[in-house]
Amino acid sequence: MREMKPTCDPNGVYSVKRVCAELGISYKTLRKYRKSGYIKPLNPGNVYRPKYSGQSIIDCWHVLCTL
């Protein structure tokens, strides 16, 4: 995970690939974080192409940095 705060737009919508790049993690780690409740997709019904808000990426980063 990156030590620097993600630079994404809080109002933006991001794909799994972009979320992983912003947080500096793999897609398997993102899946683990989603199952643990650290980050939630905007479209939870679509398990094949989840999208995430920029604010949820930033919130996830804050939570994981304080652990």
Side-chain angles (χ1 to χ4, degrees):
M1 179 127 116
R2 288 187 172 176
E3 293 181 9
M4 296 177 58
K5 183 178 177 180
T7 59
C8 58
D9 177 21
N11 297 321
V13 177
Y14 298 95
S15 65
V16 170
K17 186 175 183 178
R18 181 70 190 271
V19 173
C20 292
E22 287 288 335
L23 293 175
I25 58 175
S26 71
Y27 72 93
K28 289 183 180 181
T29 304
L30 179 62
R31 187 182 320 145
K32 183 176 77 172
Y33 289 166
R34 186 179 67 231
K35 288 182 180 180
S36 298
Y38 295 129
I39 190 168
K40 295 179 183 177
L42 292 173
N43 55 347
N46 188 348
V47 294
Y48 297 109
R49 296 185 76 178
K51 300 292 181 187
Y52 297 89
S53 70
Q55 188 60 49
S56 66
I57 297 168
I58 295 167
D59 292 343
C60 177
W61 182 82
H62 280 292
V63 168
L64 294 172
C65 283
T66 59
L67 292 180

